[in-house]
């Protein structure tokens, strides 16, 4: 059944019908669509646009449709234009004529805008839960591993840090991710129901009531904007893109750290795969897939930005293209957050190898310069003196702390015995906030 057709003389072309249909995508919105309709009906009754018994009949039947879909008794399939047509047709099949009154004072334009907004809001809250879970995994792993490791810049060993400090950097990124998503929810939290097709309705309706009923802070201020705003999807996908960028960076580190070259961690077998030809291989596929899937989330964001660019007000059918990229980005970010969380909590840390990497990386060179500064040397001069010490160490295959006082003095005479304590790795960590870093 079509929700329109009165003004048409010819049947719709079959190819066009398939081209136009969005049911296979928007069927995900069935629950929001039905709940939106129930709130709408309640409002119609209150505004005396629908008799109480009619409203009750529609409401009860909508609830039974919802239950049947939830339990699998009713499959969302068949020749319907979209989820709105599907639900209305089912309602008509169940209660007949009264169903035809449901769409009073409403358009599919405000209906779909409502459905996707409700869906996006609920799912954004779910994303926050997944972020929290990953943060917990990171924090637990960090606290259990307050151990020395090399910190890098340019992927060259730079200064000594702890694994806790390193992992908590991601925890902090995720904090910002959570705030960004919460902020997006706050901005989108307005109801478009009642905007009609673009210019409201001549009926006296109560938009405040439906907004409240559906958990929004208020109805939107402008009807044209209300039906054609998809900013919130773009904003959420932008948040998802940043989350994926963070997950991708973490993935890259896990991939590097689990390599034979680093051997800092080992990823649990449950999140690795093997090679069909090389029996010795254990590949970090989960991390690689997260890194790879980042591309599709960025792509989804770009896709909708491009769809919306240049659209005149108000609703245009182009906007039907909003759902696929959003659902895809959402599914991807949820599964990546979950897999990452499991991978972090099950990974094993090789403390010894990280310690070794610290030792052979001259990671106390900056502290030697600090030491010289404490003896009155200007930092720039100290920097250059330490450069000479490092060259000497390289030539003699030794760490700075392994040089004798005589060797050190031969490079710079002001160096004394107290240097050794100053540049001891654990002492370096104890001095800074580094070892005690909370978050
Ligand atoms: N399937 C449509 C969409 O997702 C629903 C709105 C249709 N509105 C219209 N005027 N044809 O955007």
């Amino acid at each position: 059944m079509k929700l329109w057709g009165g003004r048409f003389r010819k049947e719709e072309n079959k190819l066009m019908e398939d081209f136009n249909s969005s049911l296979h995508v928007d069927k995900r919105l069935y629950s929001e669509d039905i709940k939106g309709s129930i709130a709408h009906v309640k409002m119609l009754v209150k505004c005396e646009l629908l008799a109480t018994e009619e409203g009750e009949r529609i409401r009860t039947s909508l609830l039974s449709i919802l239950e049947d879909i939830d339990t699998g008794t009713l499959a969302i399939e068949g020749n319907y234009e979209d989820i709105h047509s599907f639900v209305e047709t089912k309602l008509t099949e169940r209660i007949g004529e009264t169903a035809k009154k449901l769409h009073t004072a409403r358009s599919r334009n405000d209906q779909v805008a409502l459905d996707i907004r409700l869906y996006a809001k609920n799912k954004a809250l779910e994303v926050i839960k997944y972020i929290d879970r990953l943060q917990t995994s990171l924090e637990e792993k960090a606290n259990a591993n307050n151990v020395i490791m090399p910190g890098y810049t340019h992927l060259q060993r730079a200064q000594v840090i702890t694994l806790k400090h390193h992992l908590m950097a991601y925890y902090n990124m995720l904090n910002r991710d959570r705030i960004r998503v919460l902020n997006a929810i706050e901005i989108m939290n307005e109801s478009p129901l009642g905007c009609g097709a673009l210019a409201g309705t001549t009926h006296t309706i109560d938009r405040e009531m439906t907004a409240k009923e559906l958990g929004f802070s208020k109805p939107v201020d402008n009807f044209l904007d209300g039906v054609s705003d998809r900013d919130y999807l773009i904003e959420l996908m932008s948040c998802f893109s940043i989350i994926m960028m963070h997950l991708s960076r973490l993935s890259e580190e896990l991939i590097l750290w689990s390599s034979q070259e680093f051997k800092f961690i080992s990823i649990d077998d449950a999140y690795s795969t093997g090679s069909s030809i090389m029996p010795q291989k254990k590949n970090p596929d989960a991390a690689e897939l997260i890194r790879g899937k980042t591309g599709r989330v960025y792509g989804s964001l770009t896709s909708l930005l491009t769809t919306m660019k240049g659209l005149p007000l108000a609703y245009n059918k182009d906007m039907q293209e909003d759902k696929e990229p959003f659902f895809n980005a959402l599914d991807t970010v949820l599964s990546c957050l979950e897999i990452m969380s499991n991978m972090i909590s099950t990974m094993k840390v090789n403390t010894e190898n990280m310690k070794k990497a610290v030792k052979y990386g001259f990671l106390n060179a900056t502290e030697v310069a600090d030491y010289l500064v404490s003896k009155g040397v200007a930092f720039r001069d100290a920097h250059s003196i330490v450069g000479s010490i490092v060259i000497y160490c390289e030539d003699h295959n030794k760490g700075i702390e392994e040089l004798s006082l005589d060797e050190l003095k031969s490079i710079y005479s002001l160096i004394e015995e107290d240097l050794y304590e100053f540049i001891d790795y654990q002492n370096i960590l104890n001095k800074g906030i580094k070892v005690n870093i909370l978050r």
Side-chain angles (χ1 to χ4, degrees):
M1 183 191 98
K2 283 198 172 50
L3 300 182
W4 42 272
R7 61 99 56 233
F8 288 81
R9 295 178 215 272
K10 267 170 72 179
E11 281 292 293
E12 191 181 11
N13 173 281
K14 176 76 185 90
L15 195 61
M16 172 57 194
E17 206 170 84
D18 292 345
F19 189 62
N20 188 33
S21 170
S22 57
L23 185 70
H24 61 292
V25 176
D26 58 29
K27 62 187 198 178
R28 272 203 203 207
L29 302 176
Y30 74 89
S31 162
E32 288 73 17
D33 193 74
I34 292 172
K35 286 173 187 158
S37 289
I38 290 174
H40 180 65
V41 164
K42 199 166 167 188
M43 183 278 293
L44 290 178
V45 170
K46 187 204 153 213
C47 295
E48 295 175 356
L49 292 164
L50 205 60
T52 312
E53 323 72 68
E54 290 173 323
E56 197 41 36
R57 203 170 319 138
I58 296 177
R59 197 182 71 89
T60 316
S61 181
L62 282 172
L63 282 173
S64 77
I65 293 172
L66 179 60
E67 194 186 327
D68 290 352
I69 299 174
D70 277 342
T71 54
T73 323
L74 176 61
I76 306 177
E77 57 194 19
N79 194 20
Y80 302 93
E81 190 176 324
D82 50 31
I83 188 62
H84 327 297
S85 320
F86 177 85
V87 173
E88 202 174 315
T89 308
K90 294 298 150 195
L91 188 68
T92 310
E93 284 168 13
R94 293 185 184 200
I95 61 169
E97 288 297 301
T98 316
K100 293 184 180 169
K101 297 191 174 181
L102 166 65
H103 212 52
T104 310
R106 187 176 71 169
S107 153
R108 265 187 304 165
N109 295 354
D110 57 346
Q111 189 178 356
V112 75
L114 171 70
D115 293 1
I116 187 81
R117 237 187 240 236
L118 281 173
Y119 182 87
K121 190 177 139 188
N122 281 337
K123 290 294 178 178
L125 291 166
E126 199 172 322
V127 169
I128 288 176
K129 275 196 208 127
Y130 280 55
I131 291 177
D132 289 347
R133 228 176 287 158
L134 174 54
Q135 282 189 301
T136 306
S137 302
L138 282 165
E139 193 171 23
E140 281 172 8
K141 192 55 66 171
N143 284 333
N145 291 280
N146 199 5
V147 294
I148 283 184
M149 76 174 287
Y152 295 80
T153 64
H154 312 267
L155 204 54
Q156 305 290 326
R157 290 175 196 165
Q159 286 187 288
V160 64
I161 56 164
T162 59
L163 180 61
K164 175 176 179 177
H165 197 169
H166 197 121
L167 291 178
M168 290 312 279
Y170 288 99
Y171 180 99
N172 278 275
M173 295 179 209
L174 289 161
N175 257 350
R176 294 193 295 276
D177 289 330
R178 191 206 297 102
I179 295 168
R180 261 186 286 272
V181 175
L182 280 172
N183 189 53
I185 294 174
E186 198 181 320
I187 297 174
M188 73 153 85
N189 202 16
E190 297 182 356
S191 171
L193 189 58
C195 292
L198 75 162
T201 167
T202 52
H203 297 292
T204 306
I205 60 167
D206 187 344
R207 296 193 303 127
E208 296 282 347
M209 177 183 169
T210 43
K212 200 163 159 230
E213 192 76 22
L214 292 164
F216 291 105
S217 60
K218 65 187 260 301
V220 297
D221 288 334
N222 184 295
F223 297 153
L224 286 95
D225 181 39
V227 286
S228 66
D229 171 19
R230 297 293 182 273
D231 293 3
Y232 50 95
L233 297 181
I234 293 172
E235 190 167 10
L236 281 175
M237 284 195 282
S238 160
C239 299
F240 298 168
S241 295
I242 299 175
I243 294 173
M244 290 304 295
M245 180 263 288
H246 292 153
L247 295 185
S248 184
R249 292 182 70 179
L250 179 53
S251 295
E252 172 64 16
E253 305 220 78
L254 298 182
I255 293 163
L256 276 174
W257 292 351
S258 64
S259 69
Q260 293 300 308
E261 283 67 22
F262 277 78
K263 277 200 188 147
F264 285 0
I265 58 160
S266 71
I267 296 174
D268 196 82
D269 281 2
Y271 299 97
S272 314
T273 61
S275 156
S276 60
I277 177 169
M278 298 163 283
Q280 86 286 9
K281 299 257 333 263
K282 185 173 136 181
N283 297 326
D285 287 32
E288 290 173 287
L289 279 169
I290 294 173
R291 192 177 55 184
K293 284 174 190 289
T294 304
R296 72 161 75 200
V297 177
Y298 292 3
S300 299
L301 169 63
T302 309
S303 161
L304 188 55
L305 276 170
T306 313
T307 297
M308 294 303 292
K309 172 188 170 297
L311 289 189
L313 289 175
Y315 177 85
N316 298 271
K317 196 60 178 265
D318 313 45
M319 289 175 191
Q320 180 163 288
E321 292 296 307
D322 60 353
K323 294 167 205 67
E324 254 177 295
F326 181 71
F327 294 160
N328 195 309
L330 173 72
D331 293 347
T332 307
V333 81
L334 284 174
S335 65
C336 291
L337 281 166
E338 187 172 18
I339 290 273
M340 181 57 92
S341 170
N342 295 349
M343 200 163 35
I344 293 290
S345 34
T346 53
M347 79 181 191
K348 297 266 174 317
V349 177
N350 191 334
T351 316
E352 277 315 303
N353 279 347
M354 290 198 305
K355 243 192 225 156
K356 262 190 229 155
V358 167
K359 193 146 190 233
Y360 296 104
F362 305 118
L363 297 192
N364 46 11
T366 309
E367 283 70 23
V368 179
D370 290 346
Y371 169 86
L372 292 174
V373 168
S374 78
K375 298 282 173 192
V377 182
F379 182 77
R380 201 44 68 211
D381 294 334
H383 189 282
S384 158
I385 296 164
V386 180
S388 309
I389 296 177
V390 169
I391 290 179
Y392 182 93
C393 286
E394 273 181 349
D395 290 348
H396 294 81
N397 201 20
K398 285 180 172 177
I400 302 178
E401 65 284 1
E402 289 169 341
L403 299 182
S404 69
L405 192 55
D406 285 345
E407 284 174 300
L408 286 164
K409 275 188 177 298
S410 73
I411 301 169
Y412 192 70
S413 59
L414 280 186
I415 297 177
E416 298 296 344
E417 188 69 36
D418 58 350
L419 172 81
Y420 294 105
E421 208 187 313
F422 201 99
I423 64 170
D424 174 78
Y425 288 114
Q426 196 56 50
N427 288 344
I428 293 172
L429 284 173
N430 291 346
K431 235 183 236 167
I433 48 152
K434 296 171 190 173
V435 83
N436 296 319
I437 189 141
L438 291 177
R439 307 221 126 155

